[in-house]
Amino acid sequence: MGSKQLEKAIKDIGWKRTVDINSEKIKLACLIREEDRRPFQADWWKGKQSYIVAVDDNGNFILRHCGGYIFRIHPKSESEEVLAKSEGEFLSMIYE
């Protein structure tokens, strides 16, 4: 994943922040620069190395697994949903 693609997505987040997943429109609240990412930690999240890459308007975390795929965490149900096979694919899904 090229950092130029990420930097452009961050720059455009004010007007280009919607992602369609299984007919659901997800509105992104923020994207996190690579150098600002930290491992995701929660009491119920064990044995998985992942980094927060975005947060949606409902407070769900969007993470990048060390294997490269992007998924969303639903903190209330402690469940996860794969959104894209790579960060580049996820960034290319963002639109107005």
Side-chain angles (χ1 to χ4, degrees), residues 24 26 40 44-45 56 58-61 63 71-83:
E24 176 189 1
I26 298 171
F40 178 72
W44 51 270
W45 188 255
D56 71 19
N58 293 317
N60 297 311
F61 298 115
L63 302 137
F71 60 103
R72 178 170 54 163
I73 291 290
H74 301 278
K76 290 181 182 176
S77 65
E78 299 179 2
S79 65
E80 61 186 76
E81 170 186 21
V82 175
L83 306 179

Side-chain angles (χ1 to χ4, degrees), residues 1 5 19-22 26 53 62-72 80-94:
M1 196 282 313
Q5 185 182 13
V19 178
D20 284 333
I21 303 295
N22 300 325
I26 298 171
V53 296
I62 297 170
L63 302 137
R64 180 184 183 278
H65 185 271
C66 62
Y69 65 89
I70 302 296
F71 60 103
R72 178 170 54 163
E80 61 186 76
E81 170 186 21
V82 175
L83 306 179
K85 295 177 186 173
S86 68
E87 190 168 346
E89 179 183 6
F90 174 72
L91 294 172
S92 69
M93 296 165 63
I94 302 171

